[in-house]
Amino acid sequence: MAIPDIYTEGIASGWKIIDGATLSAPQTLEADVAIIGSGAGGGVAAEILSLAGLKVVLLEEGALRTSASFKDMDELRAMSQLYQEAGARATSDGAIAVLQGRSVGGSTTVNWTSSFRTPPLTLKHWAEQHEVVGHSVDDMKPWFEKMEQRLNVALWEAPNANNHVLKRGCEKLGWEAHAIPRNVKGCWNTGYCGFGCPVNAKQSMLVSTIPVALQNGATLVHRVRVRQLQHANGQVSGVVGEALRADGKTPSGSTLTVKARHYIAAGGAINTPALLLRSATPDPHERLGRHTLIHPVVLSLAQMPEQIDPFYGAPQSIASDHFQWLNGATGPIGYKLEVPPIFPGIGAGVLNTFGKALQQEMAALPHTNAVLALLRDGFVEQSPGGSVRLADDGSPMLDYDLSDYVWEGVKRAYLSMVELQFAAGAQRVRTAHIDASYQTSWDAARRQIEALPLKKFRATLFTAHLMGGCAMSQNPKRGVVDSRGRHHQLGNLSVMDGSVFPTSIGANPQLSIFGLTAQNATTLAKELAG
């Protein structure tokens, strides 16, 4: 069945879309609101503000890629075109891989569709420990409901064989497990969500909020890297970006300036702090870029007797919070258990082997299951997270160290994941650690885990969840923005992305960003529309 390309039809109908690669001279645009970043925060804000009758300009560093270019479902193409640094983004020391989107729609174009509300204990912690107001469970409920309806978020009740390993193991051990809500409509269940949905089923910003914004007169500019916010006397006066060539990397020499009444930074928890740092925005209490959280992720790998084809079917449909809140918000670190899909390219990167051993592992891929643990960082002093700083060329660098507090959680997560996989019937299991080897019994695996050196470059570490760095708080000494996302020192600047989270949240963050942005953008729209 032929799937029409939304953007081909939209451009023909008059949508205002500018490709920065076509700019040959400096250009200036005017708007009511300039939004920097088109992901979960920027896309939602663009729709709400344009529907309020405001003139919106949406700026995106990545290129406009649509369903027409996703039909090959090719892993190499997707990583090179749709991810920051072609999928090679990492912490400054290279120890933790960072998967982050870089195209129109941001990470919503390539994520695995898991859509969780912010956990109640997280919201309670923000209010009690970070002086956040207006975002209690009751405050957020209508906004989560609004975005769940808008993006067709619903429980996915048909786990594939890969996710069923998690379900089966939890049932055997008596651990909590639940179905995952997904933001899809008419999903074909191919499992290729991370490469861009070829049938427009995933309700990413690319196919949902941004088209509505364009229908309502917004202008989308892609392949433009925003370098600076111009500001003086407590107000932002303009945003300046450099146009990129068709390769999406090299500046062409042309600049784009946007003059607006209000500005929204929505580039995510690495790019937004970096933009504000490059712009030398006021930071009297040195909070900018600090306490950046990532949900450090560790893995265990299992060979199952049955063929589970971990590359087919909805990528994530079962999760367990059994270990997430056992000790409350501030005890030993908690973690959420989930299952990732395993494709050949990214799979080869976490197998920690090479040569003939790698050939054998890849041949066994149809029988391979991985369980991951998202560690809930940032809730206690022993887990301060990381920080964003600038490289010499102004590009962002993320420094992130793991304390003994976090490493202790890594060990417990290893033990939980391996026990679960054996309970689910695995023939052999090993942690994704360079010093680990496959074990055929739970007792042997437990002894090995107890002896593993817990340090960077030995344990495989990665993340796809970026939070913090522009934390919200009503107290300017503790936050970059207030609870509405308004900058404490610059009156016409808001931040609407995951960087405003005071801690990590303990769940995949996209729905938290959707809901919080919907709430704050609606307030802003009423203010600006008068």
Side-chain angles (χ1 to χ4, degrees), residues 394-417:
S395 60
M397 303 287 285
L398 173 60
D399 299 325
Y400 193 99
D401 286 324
L402 279 74
S403 65
D404 290 342
Y405 171 87
V406 178
W407 282 121
E408 187 275 335
V410 167
K411 178 180 285 189
R412 283 188 288 108
Y414 279 157
L415 291 168
S416 300
M417 295 185 295

Side-chain angles (χ1 to χ4, degrees), residues 199-280:
V199 296
N200 291 331
K202 176 166 43 175
Q203 298 302 287
S204 66
M205 303 301 92
L206 177 68
V207 305
S208 58
T209 59
I210 294 174
V212 171
L214 291 167
Q215 290 164 11
N216 283 275
T219 298
L220 168 65
V221 187
H222 62 104
R223 278 196 277 229
V224 167
R225 180 183 293 132
V226 174
R227 299 296 296 175
Q228 185 180 26
L229 297 171
Q230 299 171 324
H231 61 91
N233 302 318
Q235 295 285 307
V236 178
S237 58
V239 58
V240 180
E242 56 188 15
L244 303 177
R245 300 185 190 278
D247 64 6
K249 303 174 184 176
T250 312
S252 67
S254 297
T255 59
L256 177 75
T257 302
V258 182
K259 300 289 186 179
R261 293 165 55 198
H262 199 91
Y263 300 82
I264 296 175
I270 292 179
N271 296 331
T272 289
L275 170 61
L276 272 58
L277 287 167
R278 282 197 303 271
S279 305

